[in-house]
Amino acid sequence: MEALKEGGQATMQASDLTRAVAAAMSTASSLGLTADDAIVLHDSNKLTLRLLPCDVLARVAPVAQQVAQFEVELAQRLAESGCPVAALEPRVEPRVYERDGFVVTLWTYYEPVTHREVSPADYAHALERLHAGMRRLDVPTPHFTDRVEQAQQLVANRDLTPALADADRELLGDTLRTLSRVIGERGGADQLLHGEPHPGNVLTTQNGLLFIDLETCCRGPVEFDLAHAPEEVGEHYPGVDQELLRECRILVLAMITTWRWDRDDQLPNGRQLGTEWLSQIRAELDRKAEGLD
């Protein structure tokens, strides 16, 4: 299976976006950083901006939706342990700032290195280093099965997924329920995970590969994290249970397929992807069944 695209949360309303940009710029200015311009890098339920000329990356979210404090504290602890994560902006106090109904966090901006192709071995090594640092931390986080449960609730609610055909609804519901139970019963060691270490959450920088967006952290087997990465990455990560990884890949595919059928999903071509991924799930389950015969 190819690397999976997972976004698609609702984008900010235009009026909220304008206020969010203003909140980020005024926060930076109040801290002595010159912010005369803002470039939108990513717009979902959380806005990511590059502030200029101070060259700071700002993340902005409505107060009601934020888990920013958790992300800031975790990023600090992982960075101190030498983990490959994006750093907070060093010129200001590393904390969450609140302004005009938004929370703002300020991070180091890394100029992307576009000429360097990321090898599966480098990806696997960076993820292995991240996991090693995460194993040393004891922080309260959801279990991966809690995230599966959120997908199950979407499948079960026809009002939230009205375009999902009955046969597809049954397929997704059965896959989510069965694989969540099977993976949980395999007895793999649970640890703190990134939660969504797909290529969209990996920066290629002069400092090597760095992981971002730690708000999705959960607990589970490392194979659940590897299921979000390109398939070749799992071949270079030491000690992987390959059968467990295959099950995790199907489970993750079922989860993100479910999100594509959410009536509020705004990922471009999301419904088309959802249809393609349903076919892919059926093919993967058929191959899995053939392997058991």
Side-chain angles (χ1 to χ4, degrees), residues 134 226 260 264 288:
M134 285 182 155
L226 281 164
R260 299 292 75 81
D264 295 326
K288 190 172 185 294

Short mmCIF file of all heavy atoms in Angstrom, two decimals, residues 134 226 260 264 288:
data_model
loop_
_atom_site.label_atom_id
_atom_site.label_comp_id
_atom_site.label_asym_id
_atom_site.label_seq_id
_atom_site.Cartn_x
_atom_site.Cartn_y
_atom_site.Cartn_z
N MET A 134 10.38 8.38 23.10
CA MET A 134 9.02 8.33 23.65
C MET A 134 8.88 7.24 24.72
O MET A 134 8.10 7.39 25.66
CB MET A 134 8.02 8.09 22.52
CG MET A 134 7.78 9.33 21.66
SD MET A 134 6.54 9.05 20.36
CE MET A 134 5.95 10.75 20.12
N LEU A 226 4.07 2.68 12.21
CA LEU A 226 4.66 2.30 10.94
C LEU A 226 3.61 2.14 9.84
O LEU A 226 3.90 2.33 8.66
CB LEU A 226 5.44 0.99 11.09
CG LEU A 226 6.83 1.12 11.73
CD1 LEU A 226 7.34 -0.23 12.19
CD2 LEU A 226 7.81 1.76 10.75
N ARG A 260 -13.04 10.01 5.10
CA ARG A 260 -13.36 10.57 3.78
C ARG A 260 -14.87 10.60 3.53
O ARG A 260 -15.33 11.32 2.66
CB ARG A 260 -12.68 9.77 2.67
CG ARG A 260 -11.15 9.73 2.71
CD ARG A 260 -10.49 11.05 2.43
NE ARG A 260 -10.56 12.00 3.50
CZ ARG A 260 -9.75 12.02 4.55
NH1 ARG A 260 -8.83 11.11 4.71
NH2 ARG A 260 -9.86 12.97 5.48
N ASP A 264 -18.57 16.29 6.68
CA ASP A 264 -17.84 17.55 6.84
C ASP A 264 -16.41 17.49 6.30
O ASP A 264 -15.66 18.45 6.42
CB ASP A 264 -17.80 17.95 8.32
CG ASP A 264 -19.18 18.26 8.87
OD1 ASP A 264 -20.02 18.79 8.11
OD2 ASP A 264 -19.43 17.98 10.07
N LYS A 288 -5.42 -11.28 2.69
CA LYS A 288 -5.21 -11.78 4.06
C LYS A 288 -5.92 -13.11 4.25
O LYS A 288 -5.38 -14.05 4.84
CB LYS A 288 -5.73 -10.75 5.06
CG LYS A 288 -5.38 -11.02 6.51
CD LYS A 288 -5.80 -9.84 7.37
CE LYS A 288 -5.36 -10.02 8.81
NZ LYS A 288 -6.06 -11.14 9.46
#
